[in-house]
C-alpha cells in the first residue's frame, strides 16, 4: 500500500538514502532495537551491507530482514559468542570494516549511588557495557587488520563526561571506561589504518530508558538540562554515525563527538 508523505517528509527520507557507505561492511551491536537498529538501518540505506548483532536473536532476524541485512546472534559479554559472530561473517567474506559498539544495559531501580550499590549490579553493568565493548573492539580490530583498516564507533554517554550519572554509579563508570578504551585503541592502531571515535548521544527515548520516559518528573528534570529544550531521537544520531563510518572522516580518530543538544556544554 502506498504511503502518502508530506513534501518535507519525502525530502527527508530521500536525503537519507544514498551511497556514502557503498562498498562498506558494517556490524552494529545492539541492533535489534533503539539506537542500534536506527543506525544499522541508515547504514543499509547508505549502501553498506550490514550485520545486525544482538543477543536477542529473533529481534536481530526481524530487524535485518526488514533492511536486507544479516542477523548475527551475539552476546557481547561472552567472548566465544563475539568471536564466533565475527568468524561466521569472515567465513562468508563479510569482514566488517565498520563496527558500531552500541550494545548496553542500564539497570534502573538497581544502579545507585556508590554507598548503596550492590556488587552484582556493578558487575552485570560492566560486563555488558565495558567488557562487552572490549570484546567487540578486540575482535573488530583483529578483522580490520586483515583488510587494511576500518572505523570503529563507540556509543558513549553524557554520564561519562559530567555528573549526569550521580545515581547511576555502575552505568556512568562503565561508559567512562568505554570512552577511555576508545582513546587508547585509537592511539594504538592509528598507523595501521584503524580509526576509533566516540559519539555522545543525548538523553534518547528508546526502550533502554523507558523507566525515565514513563516518569514525567524525572523526564522533565533531564530534558530541562538540555539547552535545545527537547529529548533526543535516534534520527539525531544517524548522520554523525554515517560520517564516522564513511571515508569523509578519514582523519578523525580518538575524538569524542557530542550530539546531545548541548547537554555536555554546560
Amino acid at each position: 500500500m502506498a504511503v502518502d508523505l508530506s513534501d518535507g517528509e519525502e525530502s527527508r527520507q530521500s536525503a537519507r538514502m544514498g551511497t556514502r557507505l557503498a562498498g562498506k561492511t558494517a556490524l552494529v551491536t545492539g541492533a535489534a532495537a533503539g539506537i542500534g537498529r536506527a543506525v544499522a538501518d541508515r547504514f543499509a540505506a547508505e549502501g553498506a551491507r550490514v550485520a545486525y548483532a544482538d543477543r536477542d536473536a529473533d529481534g536481530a532476524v526481524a530487524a535485518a530482514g526488514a533492511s536486507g541485512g544479516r542477523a548475527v546472534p551475539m552476546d557481547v559479554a561472552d567472548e566465544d559468542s563475539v568471536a564466533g559472530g565475527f568468524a561466521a561473517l569472515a567465513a562468508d567474506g563479510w569482514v566488517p570494516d565498520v563496527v558500531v559498539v552500541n550494545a548496553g544495559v542500564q539497570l534502573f531501580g538497581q544502579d545507585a549511588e556508590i554507598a548503596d550499590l550492590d556488587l552484582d549490579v556493578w558487575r552485570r553493568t560492566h560486563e555488558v557495557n565495558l567488557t562487552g565493548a572490549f570484546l567487540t573492539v578486540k575482535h573488530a580490530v583483529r578483522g580490520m587488520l586483515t583488510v587494511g583498516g576500518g572505523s570503529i564507533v563507540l556509543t558513549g554517554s553524557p554520564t561519562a563526561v559530567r555528573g549526569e550519572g550521580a545515581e547511576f554509579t555502575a552505568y556512568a563508570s562503565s561508559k567512562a571506561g568505554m570512552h577511555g578504551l576508545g582513546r587508547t585503541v585509537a592511539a594504538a592502531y592509528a598507523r595501521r589504518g584503524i580509526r576509533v571515535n566516540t559519539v555522545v548521544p543525548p538523553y534518547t527515548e528508546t526502550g533502554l530508558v523507558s523507566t525515565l520516559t514513563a516518569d514525567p518528573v524525572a523526564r522533565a528534570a533531564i530534558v530541562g538540562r538540555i539547552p535545545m529544550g527537547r529529548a533526543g531521537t535516534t534520527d539525531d544520531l544517524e548522520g554523525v554515525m554515517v560520517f564516522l563510518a564513511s571515508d569523509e572522516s578519514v582523519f578523525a580518530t580518538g575524538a569524542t563527538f557530542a550530539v546531545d543538544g548541548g547537554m555536555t556544554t554546560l
Side-chain angles (χ1 to χ4, degrees):
M1 180 176 67
V3 178
D4 183 19
L5 299 173
S6 67
D7 289 343
E9 180 62 19
E10 187 172 4
S11 296
R12 184 178 183 184
Q13 288 199 12
S14 177
R16 290 170 56 182
M17 301 290 287
T19 58
R20 294 168 71 189
L21 300 182
K24 302 288 188 184
T25 298
L27 178 142
V28 181
T29 66
I35 292 173
R37 169 73 184 270
V39 170
D41 287 349
R42 177 66 182 275
F43 282 5
E46 291 286 353
R49 55 180 183 177
V50 183
Y52 288 65
D54 206 291
R55 65 181 178 181
D56 175 5
D58 291 340
V61 168
S67 72
R70 173 169 173 170
V72 180
M74 183 182 292
D75 179 351
V76 297
D78 179 340
E79 184 160 21
D80 288 342
S81 179
V82 175
F86 277 94
L89 288 171
D92 292 335
W94 280 52
V95 178
D97 52 0
V98 175
V99 172
V100 178
V101 183
N102 172 75
V105 296
Q106 188 166 6
L107 302 179
F108 289 97
Q110 300 176 66
D111 205 346
E113 295 178 358
I114 196 165
D116 302 314
L117 181 63
D118 289 341
L119 179 58
D120 180 60
V121 174
W122 169 274
R123 284 175 170 160
R124 284 189 287 140
T125 302
H126 278 251
E127 185 177 52
V128 175
N129 294 357
L130 186 51
T131 300
F134 156 67
L135 292 173
T136 305
V137 172
K138 173 182 176 178
H139 290 280
V141 166
R142 287 183 174 182
M144 289 176 181
L145 288 173
T146 70
V147 295
S151 175
I152 298 171
V153 185
L154 310 178
T155 301
S157 171
T159 67
V161 295
R162 53 172 288 172
E164 287 294 328
E167 297 179 355
F168 299 101
T169 305
Y171 180 81
S173 60
S174 70
K175 286 295 188 177
M178 174 190 275
H179 283 226
L181 175 70
R183 291 190 295 270
T184 300
V185 178
Y189 289 93
R191 292 184 181 272
R192 282 174 274 185
I194 297 174
R195 300 183 293 110
V196 188
N197 293 286
T198 301
V199 172
V200 177
Y203 162 67
T204 307
E205 296 191 324
T206 66
L208 182 68
V209 296
S210 58
T211 300
L212 290 177
T213 305
D215 183 337
V217 175
R219 181 183 184 279
I222 293 176
V223 173
R225 296 196 297 275
I226 300 175
M228 293 187 75
R230 66 168 176 84
T233 70
T234 57
D235 285 350
D236 295 322
L237 300 170
E238 296 172 20
V240 71
M241 293 284 194
V242 171
F243 168 69
L244 291 172
S246 76
D247 294 337
E248 297 167 20
S249 59
V250 69
F251 205 55
T253 195
T256 301
F257 292 78
V259 189
D260 59 4
M263 192 173 191
T264 56
T265 65
L266 300 180

